[in-house]
Amino acid sequence: MLGPRYRAAALRTLGEHEFDVLVVGGGVVGAGAALDAVSRGLSVALVEARDLAAGTSSRSSKLIHGGLRYLEQLDFRLVREALKERGLLTNRLAPHLVRPVSFLYPLHHRVWERFYVGAGITLYDTLAGRWGLRRHRQLSLRRTLEKAPALRKDALVGAIQYYDAQVDDARFTMMVARTAAQYGACVTTRTPVIGFLREGARVTGARVRDLESGAEIEVRAREVINATGVWTDELQRMAGVEGTATARPAEGVSVRASKGVHIVVPRDRIRLDTGLILRTEKSVLFVIPWGPHWIVGTTDTAWDLDKAEPSATNADIEYILDHVNAVLNTPLTTDDIEGVYVGLRPLIGRSGASTVKLSREHAVTRPLPGLTVVAGGKYTTYRIMAKDAVDAAVRDLGEAVPPSITERVQIIGAAGFEAVRNNKGRLAERAGLSTGRVEHLLHRYGSRTEELLDIVGMAPGLGDPIPGAEGYLKVEAVYAASHEGALRLEDVLVRRTRIFIEERDHGLEASQGIAALLAPVLGWDDDRVKREIDEYRQYVEADTAARREPDDAAANAVRLGGLTPSAAMS
């Protein structure tokens, strides 16, 4: 478990041992690299500057998909690879976290478009092979409107229904990191790298700072993997490497950030029985089911400002509303928006190029002895990226290392998931909860749901909903700190749960109760509780104020101006 005692022991271990592999970056690729390396029998440490999935890996479209638009770019290898990963995740590795979801692709032309799009989606299904989900279906206008009464009759002539998969990206990343820790990896958060250790030209580790205590730790490792996403260039410069767009083996790789904005609206505001995908002039726009909400996005624009907290602007939100409203009977307004979140895609490419055209493929380079850099890619193919990075890193270890086995290593909570799910009625009766509540827990914790129910059995009050965020139980906040590595109130409200984007007040009402639940687990006194609540309030206010600004520069200034010093550095 990634609780306080684990963290204290892990910090001691960081400074006392030399590791085979040190992974820098706690996003999904870094967590995947740690799991890949440790499951090969290597000693592994993973250090993250903020929280697990604090950057891109908590702010995606939350889809596990092959990427229909890459077919148009004739990138069949990338699509086939991603579709296999989708199948592995839904069927074997994480069926509790990754679930199939259907989408409608509206058609606007009666003959050629139905043939053209139908052929593309047929190829999409075919490339998935034995890892495919349900096959697509052609729908008439009447059948389309039965499934999607929210759509304007004059906005389409029919549709094609196809299937992809969905995930809570932050939760999945954390569970991959937990799995790595379960197999022996040393995982720490709030431990940014502040310098690299060198012996001549070779990188031999990193110097990190524990933001909780201020202590600096030298972490020695035979190989270091830089898996920091949009921060790749900064970490390369820290190591004395200049990035290039060509990604030749002797050089670093240059990563550009593309901003993607999503809005969250209530489920009853769009009458659909399925997800929706729309083409825009700049990107694709998804309407994605998310419990009692819809996620609508995304945008695709270059971003070169603050990478920790990218900001949505009024223009971004209007762009999304304009495009989704073009097909809706009842338009959405800004009053319907419950939450907004912004992520940065790490794209490989040159300065000045459109981010829409930059590569979603990944690159692995060895710019210095002892240093491997992995960058680019997409969430769905994180496991392949991790495998390739570890393959490159272990070549210089001077010993035989087993090949990757993560194609068969289940994510924590997957083992026994179906058996536990089949007994949800018994579990609900035992815990005094509804079967709906237990179902909610099962798709967040898998077979580990029984751990939460055991806690509720010892403290029945923890089975109550969180005031101000009734979709979650109090035990989930406690478990986030005791088992899932949450160290701050923000970690729980923004990533371990999704209260920040799901509640109209972004969790301000819930924050006091959650802070009180975290206090005994994390050892907070009254002053620390008050500071956490105050800092979270400032975080929310800064985010809300930034969304009113007309452009990136203004929104970024407002966003940073509202962060407290500790929140900004975290």
Side-chain angles (χ1 to χ4, degrees):
M1 67 178 74
L2 300 182
R5 268 191 277 186
Y6 170 90
R7 186 175 191 275
L11 289 171
R12 289 194 298 272
T13 303
L14 282 182
E16 294 173 356
H17 297 273
E18 180 184 51
F19 297 90
D20 293 323
V21 176
L22 167 63
V23 180
V24 182
V28 72
V29 177
L35 176 57
D36 187 285
V38 76
S39 62
R40 299 188 196 205
L42 301 171
S43 60
V44 179
L46 181 151
V47 294
E48 158 58 34
R50 300 191 294 162
D51 182 29
L52 295 169
T56 301
S57 295
S58 63
R59 310 178 191 207
S60 72
S61 293
K62 313 198 188 318
L63 294 176
I64 299 295
H65 63 138
L68 273 177
R69 67 172 171 164
Y70 303 121
L71 285 180
E72 285 192 309
Q73 300 169 11
L74 305 182
D75 200 340
F76 302 127
R77 186 198 62 77
L78 177 63
V79 175
R80 184 186 295 111
E81 181 179 80
L83 289 172
K84 178 186 176 183
E85 293 305 303
R86 184 192 69 179
L88 281 170
L89 290 167
T90 54
N91 295 314
R92 178 191 296 172
L93 302 182
H96 56 311
L97 300 173
V98 182
R99 291 180 285 174
V101 60
S102 69
F103 285 94
L104 286 184
Y105 190 114
L107 301 173
H108 307 284
H109 304 277
R110 295 188 181 280
V111 181
W112 72 264
E113 189 182 24
R114 188 176 287 277
F115 175 79
Y116 176 75
V117 175
I121 295 180
T122 298
L123 178 59
Y124 195 66
D125 288 343
T126 302
L127 288 173
R130 69 188 183 95
W131 298 108
L133 305 176
R134 293 176 60 181
R135 293 189 68 83
H136 75 278
R137 294 192 301 159
Q138 297 270 359
L139 301 180
S140 66
L141 177 60
R142 180 181 63 81
R143 288 288 294 129
T144 300
L145 295 177
E146 286 174 0
K147 288 187 168 295
L151 299 184
R152 286 171 40 196
K153 185 176 181 179
D154 62 349
L156 66 163
V157 297
I160 297 177
Q161 184 179 31
Y162 74 99
Y163 291 82
D164 261 319
Q166 176 179 54
V167 69
D168 182 331
D169 47 6
R171 177 144 214 88
F172 182 87
T173 299
M174 178 274 298
M175 294 288 254
V176 174
R178 275 191 71 187
T179 308
Q182 175 181 263
Y183 287 112
C186 181
V187 177
T188 64
T189 60
R190 310 285 175 189
T191 47
V193 168
I194 58 175
F196 285 95
L197 306 180
R198 303 283 286 269
E199 290 181 5
R202 186 173 190 84
V203 174
T204 58
R207 193 166 67 257
V208 305
R209 177 178 292 123
D210 174 20
L211 295 182
E212 298 297 293
S213 68
E216 293 186 9
I217 305 168
E218 288 193 349
V219 186
R220 300 199 171 274
R222 299 167 69 191
E223 294 289 334
V224 176
I225 296 175
N226 174 5
T228 53
V230 294
W231 285 273
T232 296
D233 289 11
E234 286 84 347
L235 268 291
Q236 286 183 148
R237 283 193 291 271
M238 189 182 292
V241 178
E242 288 300 322
T244 75
T246 55
R248 290 189 291 270
E251 299 170 324
V253 59
S254 179
V255 173
R256 292 194 53 214
S258 167
K259 183 177 74 165
V261 178
H262 298 77
I263 65 173
V264 180
V265 300
R267 191 69 175 263
D268 61 9
R269 286 296 291 112
I270 306 177
R271 293 179 59 210
L272 294 175
D273 293 333
T274 175
L276 187 67
I277 179 173
L278 304 171
R279 297 293 299 268
T280 76
E281 67 276 12
K282 297 180 180 178
S283 63
V284 294
L285 194 75
F286 288 101
V287 180
I288 305 162
W290 184 256
H293 316 271
W294 295 103
I295 293 174
V296 186
T298 181
T299 61
D300 190 345
T301 55
W303 178 266
D304 58 4
L305 301 168
D306 179 67
K307 294 176 180 176
E309 294 298 339
S311 308
T313 66
N314 183 61
D316 293 324
I317 293 168
E318 290 298 326
Y319 172 87
I320 293 172
L321 290 176
D322 286 348
H323 282 83
V324 73
N325 285 340
V327 300
L328 296 181
N329 282 317
T330 305
L332 298 174
T333 72
T334 54
D335 291 338
D336 294 316
I337 297 174
E338 298 172 301
V340 177
Y341 67 92
V342 188
L344 298 178
R345 305 175 190 87
L347 304 179
I348 300 170
R350 295 174 177 83
S351 177
S354 165
T355 59
V356 178
K357 298 179 181 178
L358 297 183
S359 176
R360 293 310 304 270
E361 297 213 34
H362 67 274
V364 177
T365 68
R366 291 276 292 172
L368 292 171
L371 178 63
T372 299
V373 178
V374 56
K378 58 201 294 273
Y379 196 104
T380 302
T381 56
Y382 84 93
R383 193 189 65 81
I384 301 296
M385 296 173 66
K387 169 187 173 298
D388 289 350
V390 175
D391 281 345
V394 300
R395 290 192 191 113
D396 283 356
L397 285 182
E399 60 193 59
V401 175
S404 174
I405 62 168
T406 52
E407 191 171 310
R408 300 184 298 279
V409 177
Q410 289 185 301
I411 305 306
I412 195 168
F417 168 61
E418 290 188 21
V420 175
R421 182 177 59 186
N422 289 341
N423 282 280
K424 64 185 178 184
R426 177 183 59 81
L427 292 175
E429 183 177 357
R430 183 186 104 195
L433 300 173
S434 69
T435 54
R437 286 288 188 185
V438 172
E439 188 79 24
H440 158 87
L441 296 175
L442 284 167
H443 285 292
R444 286 171 52 74
Y445 305 91
S447 56
R448 295 302 176 105
T449 294
E450 293 186 295
E451 293 180 347
L452 284 89
L453 298 183
D454 287 342
I455 296 172
V456 171
M458 294 184 288
L462 294 180
D464 295 337
I466 296 172
E470 284 74 15
Y472 298 91
L473 302 180
K474 292 179 178 179
V475 67
E476 297 185 75
V478 172
Y479 192 84
S482 64
H483 288 69
E484 297 180 340
L487 295 176
R488 302 277 177 87
L489 180 59
E490 176 201 328
D491 298 346
V492 177
L493 285 159
V494 178
R495 287 172 290 276
R496 301 304 182 277
T497 70
R498 291 315 186 116
I499 293 169
F500 173 70
I501 61 171
E502 293 172 348
E503 295 296 329
R504 200 167 284 276
D505 73 343
H506 309 299
L508 290 177
E509 180 184 348
S511 63
Q512 296 191 28
I514 292 176
L517 291 166
L518 299 179
V521 182
L522 297 174
W524 293 351
D525 58 19
D526 290 344
D527 287 342
R528 177 64 184 269
V529 168
K530 182 179 183 301
R531 187 167 75 249
E532 290 284 333
I533 295 170
D534 288 344
E535 290 183 358
Y536 183 71
R537 180 179 293 105
Q538 291 175 56
Y539 178 91
V540 168
E541 290 172 351
D543 181 80
T544 304
R547 300 198 316 248
R548 303 189 190 103
E549 298 299 322
D551 57 59
D552 286 345
N556 184 68
V558 170
R559 187 74 179 84
L560 291 183
L563 291 176
T564 62
S566 61
M569 74 176 181
S570 68

